[in-house]
């Protein structure tokens, strides 16, 4: 009887494991909150932005020096889907950086950047664009309202969807793995939700 019970217990574990694999459960399938309105434990600061949490929203509206400021994830991410809810002022300069290989050097030359910059001098690489890689015309505007970026990076395939509108769908092999970073460069920048799932 004990052997039969052990057998069925083992069978249940196997079935649950297979079910988890089929639905994308476990480390390669579940959504993880990188920011949930309570703390920034998943991130570290570069550049001295005045990041703070106000009523469950991550806010920055200043920095210590001339260099851009970033919150950078503690972990590396290769293939993932990322959802980001953000609000920016009309004059804001921000962005979501991906596959940043050097955790101390974050910029649009060594990472992919999903731009948030309505007043960029070259608007073709402004809000909705993948900087230096895919232009967006006409450029959508993000200032003064809550927006959603849905970003998928898998292998060499990168897709950006801004407020339900696909702005980038490209194959590119420039960067293979790295951290994710949220940028503060100018204006007022707010992030309400940041969540990720590995693919």
């Amino acid at each position: 009887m004990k052997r039969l019970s052990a057998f069925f217990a083992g069978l249940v574990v196997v079935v649950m494991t297979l079910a988890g694999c089929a639905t994308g459960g476990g480390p390669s399938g579940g959504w993880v909150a990188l920011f949930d309105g309570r703390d920034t434990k998943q991130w570290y600061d570069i550049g001295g932005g005045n990041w703070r949490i106000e009523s469950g929203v991550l806010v920055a509206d200043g920095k210590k020096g001339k260099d851009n400021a970033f919150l950078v994830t503690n972990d590396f991410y290769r293939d993932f889907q990322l959802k980001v809810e953000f609000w920016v002022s009309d004059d804001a300069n921000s962005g979501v950086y991906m596959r940043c290989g050097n955790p101390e050097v974050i910029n649009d030359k060594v990472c992919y950047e999903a731009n948030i910059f309505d007043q960029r001098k070259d608007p073709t690489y402004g809000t909705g664009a993948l900087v230096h890689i895919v232009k967006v015309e006409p450029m959508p505007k993000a200032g003064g309202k809550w927006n959603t970026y849905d970003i998928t990076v898998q292998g060499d395939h990168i897709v950006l969807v801004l407020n339900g509108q696909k702005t980038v769908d490209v194959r590119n092999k420039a960067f293979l793995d790295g951290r994710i970073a949220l940028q503060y460069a100018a204006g007022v920048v707010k992030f309400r939700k940041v969540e990720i799932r590995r693919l």
Side-chain angles (χ1 to χ4, degrees):
M1 188 67 175
K2 288 183 179 178
R3 287 183 181 177
L4 191 58
S5 297
F7 170 78
F8 280 115
L11 186 61
V12 168
V13 170
V14 169
V15 169
M16 290 178 66
T17 302
L18 290 175
C21 291
T23 59
S28 63
W31 286 96
V32 174
L34 294 178
F35 176 69
D36 60 4
R38 293 191 293 269
D39 59 59
T40 55
K41 291 179 181 177
Q42 305 265 17
W43 309 83
Y44 64 92
D45 174 67
I46 291 179
N50 65 343
W51 301 99
R52 60 200 184 274
I53 297 173
E54 297 180 349
S55 301
V57 175
L58 183 61
V59 182
D61 57 10
K63 54 185 180 167
K64 291 180 180 177
K66 294 181 179 179
D67 293 338
N68 293 335
F70 298 92
L71 283 184
V72 185
T73 58
N74 297 323
D75 292 334
F76 280 68
Y77 297 92
R78 178 184 294 271
D79 296 332
F80 57 86
Q81 184 179 2
L82 178 70
K83 292 183 180 180
V84 180
E85 292 183 12
F86 66 93
W87 185 99
V88 289
S89 58
D90 291 331
D91 61 341
N93 179 0
S94 183
V96 179
Y97 288 68
M98 300 154 287
R99 288 186 174 174
C100 302
N102 183 341
E104 298 303 321
V105 178
I106 310 293
N107 62 55
D108 58 20
K109 301 291 197 308
V110 297
C111 315
Y112 293 120
E113 181 192 2
N115 210 0
I116 305 168
F117 194 0
D118 287 356
Q119 296 183 8
R120 193 175 195 270
K121 290 182 180 179
D122 177 4
T124 56
Y125 285 119
T127 301
L130 194 64
V131 179
H132 305 307
I133 298 170
V134 179
K135 300 177 180 181
V136 57
E137 294 181 274
M139 183 190 73
K141 297 281 186 163
K145 62 183 180 181
W146 282 101
N147 304 269
T148 302
Y149 252 139
D150 191 331
I151 301 169
T152 303
V153 180
Q154 190 165 23
D156 66 350
H157 192 196
I158 304 162
V159 177
L160 306 185
V161 178
L162 177 64
N163 297 329
Q165 182 71 36
K166 186 187 291 185
T167 60
V168 170
D169 190 337
V170 69
R171 299 273 179 178
N172 186 278
K173 297 180 180 179
F175 312 113
L176 301 178
D177 193 8
R179 300 180 196 240
I180 292 166
L182 305 177
Q183 179 193 39
Y184 174 79
V188 179
V189 177
K190 302 178 182 181
F191 293 95
R192 186 165 59 187
K193 180 190 284 186
V194 183
E195 57 183 7
I196 194 167
R197 68 184 181 102
R198 296 182 188 271
L199 301 176

